C-alpha cells in the first residue's frame, strides 16, 4: 500500500482530485477535517488554544471561533507557529493511526492524504509520493471568489501567504495541472493513477 501526500494552493482543486482518487479505491484522509476534529469542545487542543490566545477566540457555545482565530494568526508569524504547534502534532498522530489501520486491513491500493500545508508542516516525510495539484493564479482566484464569496483582493492575499507555487510544483513527484474543466481534470487523474499502478506493480515485481 502506497501513501500519497496530496497538496496544492488554495483553489487548485486538490479536494476534487482526492475525491476522484477515492472513487478509484484509495482511502482518502483529509487533514483539514482532522484539524477540525482535534479542536472540538472538550478536546485538550481547544483548552491549550484558549490558554494561549485567550477567550476571545472561543465562541459562546464553547467551540473555536475560526474567523477570529484566523484574524489573530494571519499576519503574526509567532502566533501562527504557536497555533500550529498545538494542532499539527495531534493531526499527524491521527494521520499515522489511520494509515496504520489501513495497512493492517490490506483493503486499499493507496492512501491519499490531503494536506494543504504538506511541506510547511513537514509531513512529506510520511509519504511515499507527493502529488501536487497546480493551477494558474487567476484560475485559483476565480474559484476562491466563487467558492468562498470573498473579494479578489482577499483571494490574492491568501495565495500570497502560501508557499510559492513554483517551489511547490518543483518538489512534486507527480504534478497535475488543473486549469480546465472537471472532465479535463478527471482525464489527468485517470492517467496519473494508471501510471502509478503500473509503477507500483513494477516495484513489487
Amino acid at each position: 500500500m502506497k501513501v500519497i501526500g496530496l497538496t496544492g494552493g488554495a483553489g487548485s482543486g486538490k479536494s476534487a482530485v482526492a475525491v476522484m482518487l477515492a472513487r478509484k479505491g484509495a482511502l482518502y484522509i483529509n487533514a483539514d477535517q482532522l484539524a477540525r476534529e482535534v479542536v472540538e469542545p472538550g478536546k485538550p487542543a481547544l483548552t491549550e488554544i484558549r490558554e494561549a490566545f485567550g477567550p476571545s477566540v472561543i465562541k459562546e457555545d464553547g467551540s473555536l471561533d475560526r474567523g477570529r482565530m484566523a484574524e489573530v494568526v494571519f499576519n503574526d508569524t509567532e502566533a501562527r507557529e504557536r497555533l500550529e504547534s498545538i494542532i499539527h502534532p495531534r493531526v499527524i498522530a491521527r494521520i499515522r493511526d489511520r494509515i496504520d489501520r489501513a495497512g493492517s486491513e490490506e483493503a486499499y491500493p493507496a492512501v491519499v492524504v490531503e494536506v494543504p500545508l504538506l511541506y510547511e508542516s513537514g509531513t512529506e516525510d510520511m509519504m511515499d509520493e507527493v502529488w501536487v495539484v497546480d493551477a494558474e493564479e487567476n484560475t485559483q482566484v476565480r474559484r476562491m471568489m466563487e467558492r468562498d464569496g470573498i473579494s479578489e483582493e482577499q483571494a490574492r492575499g491568501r495565495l500570497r501567504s502560501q508557499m510559492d507555487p513554483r517551489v511547490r510544483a518543483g518538489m512534486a513527484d507527480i504534478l497535475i495541472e488543473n486549469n480546465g474543466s472537471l472532465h479535463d481534470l478527471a482525464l489527468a487523474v485517470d492517467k496519473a493513477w494508471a501510471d502509478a499502478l503500473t509503477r507500483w506493480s513494477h516495484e513489487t515485481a
Side-chain angles (χ1 to χ4, degrees), residues 32-45:
D32 273 353
Q33 177 59 39
L34 297 181
R36 287 189 287 271
E37 292 176 6
V38 301
V39 297
E40 289 174 349
K43 297 292 176 64

Side-chain angles (χ1 to χ4, degrees), residues 132-151:
V132 171
V133 186
D134 195 28
E136 296 172 352
E137 181 174 323
N138 288 339
T139 300
Q140 291 176 267
V141 167
R142 174 178 52 78
R143 289 173 180 159
M144 282 190 285
M145 291 171 65
E146 294 173 353
R147 181 191 67 195
D148 302 330
I150 60 177
S151 68

Side-chain angles (χ1 to χ4, degrees), residues 36-89:
R36 287 189 287 271
E37 292 176 6
V38 301
V39 297
E40 289 174 349
K43 297 292 176 64
L46 189 60
T47 300
E48 286 190 35
I49 289 171
R50 184 187 183 99
E51 292 173 351
F53 299 100
S56 67
V57 299
I58 307 297
K59 294 181 178 179
E60 290 184 3
D61 65 2
S63 63
L64 179 65
D65 188 332
R66 299 180 186 283
R68 174 60 183 148
M69 192 74 256
E71 292 175 2
V72 170
V73 304
F74 186 73
N75 289 313
D76 187 332
T77 301
E78 184 177 342
R80 185 177 68 253
E81 290 176 350
R82 175 66 181 127
L83 178 65
E84 290 172 351
S85 73
I86 295 171
I87 294 176
H88 284 177

Side-chain angles (χ1 to χ4, degrees), residues 2 7 12 32 49 51 55 87 98 107 109 112 115 127 129 155 169-171 179 184 189 204:
K2 294 293 185 178
T7 193
S12 63
D32 273 353
I49 289 171
E51 292 173 351
I87 294 176
R98 295 197 179 186
V112 176
V115 189
M127 314 302 171
E129 298 182 0
M171 297 170 72
N179 294 301
D184 294 332
V189 172
T204 56

Side-chain angles (χ1 to χ4, degrees), residues 30 59-60 70 75 119 132 140 163 173 176 178 182 185:
N30 186 321
K59 294 181 178 179
E60 290 184 3
N75 289 313
Y119 292 114
V132 171
Q140 291 176 267
M163 175 181 280
D173 294 304
I176 297 176
N178 181 26
L182 272 177
L185 179 61

